[in-house]
Amino acid sequence: MLWDTKSNRDGIGARIKLVTKSGPQYNHMTTSMGYASSSDGPVHFGLGAEARAESITIYWPSGAIQTLENVSGDQVLKVTEPLH
């Protein structure tokens, strides 16, 4: 789950890159999921056989970039945009 401190509370518009040994995956935070439907998140990634992500990089709508490293799988992360 994303918590944006500058642009919007839910981090809508944030782009996310997750990297495992198998390669990168990309996703973004949005509430629109198709015609006349919506979703409130969180952004989901599947790790397959991997137990952890080597890195997760979040490109916040404000322009801030935040990287998390060695993140265990099978959990919901709550990530807050850095204040600086």
Side-chain angles (χ1 to χ4, degrees), residues 46-70:
L47 299 182
E50 303 292 339
R52 65 179 50 249
E54 292 178 355
S55 67
I56 301 172
T57 304
I58 304 166
Y59 301 88
W60 294 95
S62 68
I65 300 172
Q66 183 176 15
T67 301
L68 310 171
E69 296 189 11
N70 293 319

Side-chain angles (χ1 to χ4, degrees), residues 2-52:
L2 300 177
W3 189 264
D4 194 337
T5 58
K6 296 177 184 171
S7 303
N8 63 77
R9 184 192 69 184
D10 296 321
I12 295 170
R15 295 173 296 122
I16 305 158
K17 177 183 178 183
L18 178 139
V19 178
T20 66
K21 291 179 184 177
S22 300
Q25 295 182 45
Y26 301 88
N27 208 336
H28 64 284
M29 179 57 194
T30 184
T31 57
S32 61
M33 300 309 263
Y35 177 74
S37 65
S38 64
S39 172
D40 62 355
V43 177
H44 182 266
F45 289 93
L47 299 182
E50 303 292 339
R52 65 179 50 249

